[in-house]
Amino acid sequence: QVQLVESGGGSVQAGGSLRLSCAASGRTFDGRAMGWFRQAPGKEREFVVAISWSGASADFADSVKGRFTISRDNAKRTVYLQMNSLKPEDTAVYYCAARLLAITSRKSDEYVSWGQGTQVTVSS
């Protein structure tokens, strides 16, 4: 099992930026694609972005394309989510997740390890 800890959440005004980090520990991090999901109050958890093990491939939800970027530093066992041009509708708890496979997926049930989540609040 991979343990995941998110950090970097907070409160910003619309148009601002935040950078989330997800640090992995425990059993192998190697070979795993990583994803970010979010859940707003009263809504289901939704896919945001995922990155392959190599970092060469990333998949973005349409709602964040062009505003969010994802990167990873495998030596540091950390994945980053840079969020720019934030909107009030981006307000949610953001979760980091790890797959067993190296390629990305948008399906939350294909991720086997989850962090505890970090709150992102964007005010208008």
Side-chain angles (χ1 to χ4, degrees):
Q1 214 39 329
V2 175
Q3 285 78 48
L4 304 173
V5 178
E6 303 96 336
S7 61
S11 297
V12 295
Q13 290 191 328
S17 298
L18 283 174
R19 188 195 197 202
L20 305 185
S21 298
C22 173
S25 61
R27 297 188 66 180
T28 180
F29 172 76
D30 294 354
R32 294 175 181 257
M34 300 293 293
W36 287 94
F37 292 77
R38 68 187 181 186
Q39 187 166 20
K43 295 187 178 181
E44 294 186 353
R45 188 173 297 186
E46 66 174 358
F47 169 78
V48 177
V49 60
I51 187 168
S52 62
W53 157 245
S54 69
S57 176
D59 182 25
F60 294 84
D62 288 345
S63 59
V64 305
K65 202 170 293 183
R67 300 187 298 121
F68 290 12
T69 59
I70 188 171
S71 60
R72 64 189 298 162
D73 184 335
N74 290 339
K76 294 183 178 179
R77 304 163 65 87
T78 301
V79 178
Y80 305 98
L81 178 63
Q82 179 66 43
M83 306 185 295
N84 299 326
S85 302
L86 283 162
K87 304 176 181 180
E89 51 263 44
D90 294 318
T91 295
V93 177
Y94 283 71
Y95 297 90
C96 173
R99 294 193 77 195
L100 289 176
L101 302 179
I103 57 176
T104 63
S105 172
R106 294 188 170 206
K107 299 178 180 179
S108 60
D109 60 3
E110 294 186 1
Y111 290 78
V112 296
S113 300
W114 291 82
Q116 82 290 348
T118 185
Q119 177 70 46
V120 171
T121 303
V122 184
S123 59
S124 57

